[in-house]
Amino acid sequence: MNIENKTILITGGGSGIGFETAKLLSQKGNKIVIIGRNYDKLKMVADSLQNVTPISCDVNKENEVKNLVQAIQTNFPELSILINNAGKAFKYEHGSSANAYEKARQEMETNYLSVIRLTELLLPILQKQTEAAIINVSSITALSPVSVIPTYSDSKAALHSYTLSLRKTLAEKSSIKVFELLPPTVNTEFSKEIGGETKGIPSREVAEALLDGLKNDQFEIGVGLTIPFAENFFQKRSQAFEAINQR
């Protein structure tokens, strides 16, 4: 698909993959809207780039999401690409004192349920465009869980399933294309606790892979280690699980 001269909304656009994606897309004549909870941080990012508008919004708060959608309808009715990138993760292991339910609730709300709500509310705008796309930023953990981020892995598996269903449904009813970005560990503040600084790939590499995937209509965009892992996963699932959980 064409990724130039469009209007694009990126959740979690103030850092990491979201920031690098906004940076690359803004260089192609696109109009970018970045959202997140910290407006000052977003404003600093927007001021460092071209054609970027910051909007404060917590994707887990219904009233803020509705206000965001209203702002998009009023100020950016030509919106044609939605990138669901906001994420949350806890590092822990299952056990009697893990407080897994509360951690899972927060991860599911951010990584899965908020995506469904925002996507559904923006569909009427996207459906009006000649060409439109939804990109869900998933993870290699959508294919096989990592035991030290167990419920984060669960949330990404749910997002992967949702993306597949959404892609099939919208392909039959509209011109909206649905993509999934599946990076491995990325060197960001987000992943520092699980070794992202030493084991993670640069955010820029992920953003570049995303743009290449969009241009080539590659609906599942694997990055780095995700590509061979995905190819072998269904042949040797138990070995794949052990491989991704090496410490």
Side-chain angles (χ1 to χ4, degrees), residues 36 71 95 107 110 143-144 169 191 236:
E107 290 166 330
T110 302
L143 304 178
S144 185
T169 301
S191 66
K236 302 175 181 178

Side-chain angles (χ1 to χ4, degrees), residues 9 33 35 55-57 61-79 117-118 121-125 128:
L9 172 64
V33 178
I35 72 167
I55 298 180
S56 176
C57 176
K61 295 183 177 179
E62 183 178 8
N63 63 321
E64 292 191 20
V65 172
K66 288 183 176 179
N67 289 339
L68 168 68
V69 173
Q70 181 60 55
I72 297 299
Q73 289 173 333
T74 302
N75 301 310
F76 304 98
E78 76 283 5
L79 179 76
R117 175 163 57 199
L118 181 59
L121 289 174
L122 288 176
L123 275 177
I125 299 175
K128 293 178 181 179

Side-chain angles (χ1 to χ4, degrees), residues 126-191:
L126 296 174
Q127 288 170 333
K128 293 178 181 179
Q129 315 308 328
T130 303
E131 182 180 47
I134 297 164
I135 299 97
N136 293 332
V137 179
S138 181
S139 166
I140 191 174
T141 64
L143 304 178
S144 185
V146 175
S147 62
V148 295
I149 43 173
T151 45
Y152 170 82
S153 302
D154 298 342
S155 70
K156 291 301 186 178
L159 181 62
H160 173 66
S161 178
Y162 167 69
T163 304
L164 292 174
S165 298
L166 185 68
R167 180 183 299 135
K168 178 175 175 56
T169 301
L170 293 184
E172 295 171 350
K173 297 181 178 181
S174 74
S175 60
I176 300 174
K177 298 175 180 178
V178 180
F179 297 82
E180 182 176 8
L181 178 65
L182 296 108
T185 303
V186 183
N187 183 8
T188 64
E189 188 68 27
F190 181 82
S191 66

